[in-house]
Amino acid sequence: MLGKHAWNTVQMPINVCDYHYRSFVHQVVPEANKRQIAVIGMKSLGGGSDHKGRLVAEKVCTVEEARRYSLSQPIASLVVGIDSMDVLKQDIANARAFKPMAETELKAFVERVKPVASDGRHERFKSTQVFDGPYHQKQHGFTPG
C-alpha cells in the first residue's frame, strides 16, 4: 500500500503488544521511515471501549510504560486520548518526563509482556474482520451480497 500512493503520513497502532504480533513497528514503520513518510502512532494503551486502555486495564503494563515505549519508537507523533482533566494532566506529566528507553530497557520490557502479547489477544483487529465496517466486509466477501 505504501508504494501505491504518495503518502506524507501514515497512522497506525504503536504499542508494546504490536512488537510481538503482526508488527507495524517491525514491518511498516521502517519502510515508512525509509520513504520519508511520517508515522503517527495511536492506540499506545491498546485501545478498548472503556477508555482506560486494554493494556493498562488488563495489567499488561502501566500508562507510563505504554506511553514511554510508544514514544521511544521512530514515529513523528503519538495521538493520545484525553477524556478528562486528570488524563490530560497525566499525559502532560508523561510527556515532560519522557526519556527514550535505552535498548536494554526496551528489550527487558518487551520480553516481560511477551507471554500476553505474542498470541494477538490484545490486537484482535489484526486477525479478524469483525472490526471492519460493512462496506469493507462486503468488499472482501465477508458478508452476503
Side-chain angles (χ1 to χ4, degrees):
M1 197 56 133
L2 287 177
K4 291 184 176 186
H5 305 282
W7 301 100
N8 292 318
T9 63
V10 291
Q11 185 173 349
M12 65 196 73
I14 301 291
N15 64 64
V16 67
C17 288
D18 170 80
Y19 185 92
H20 295 288
Y21 184 74
R22 298 183 177 182
S23 179
F24 293 112
V25 167
H26 295 306
Q27 297 172 5
V28 182
V29 173
E31 185 63 25
N33 285 328
K34 185 172 93 177
R35 294 171 184 255
Q36 297 184 328
I37 300 169
V39 175
I40 301 168
M42 64 178 193
K43 307 287 187 197
S44 60
L45 303 182
S49 59
D50 61 4
H51 303 286
K52 292 181 177 139
R54 173 181 299 279
L55 304 182
V56 176
E58 296 188 20
K59 302 194 184 333
V60 172
C61 59
T62 66
V63 170
E64 295 78 16
E65 290 172 322
R67 297 276 199 247
R68 191 163 170 235
Y69 168 83
S70 295
L71 288 168
S72 294
Q73 303 309 305
I75 62 175
S77 182
L78 181 66
V79 176
V80 298
I82 300 169
D83 60 2
S84 70
M85 188 57 71
D86 288 339
V87 170
L88 174 61
K89 289 176 182 177
Q90 171 186 266
D91 287 340
I92 290 170
N94 285 336
R96 287 182 174 155
F98 174 69
K99 289 183 177 54
M101 288 183 162
E103 189 65 30
T104 55
E105 187 179 12
L106 185 124
K107 284 183 180 180
F109 181 50
V110 298
E111 282 304 309
R112 189 184 95 210
V113 304
K114 186 175 183 178
V116 297
S118 57
D119 62 6
R121 72 182 83 167
H122 297 294
E123 298 186 291
R124 292 175 298 205
F125 65 91
K126 291 180 177 178
S127 57
T128 178
Q129 285 70 44
V130 171
F131 298 95
D132 290 346
Y135 174 83
H136 289 105
Q137 286 184 358
K138 184 177 178 182
Q139 181 182 37
H140 296 290
F142 297 122
T143 60

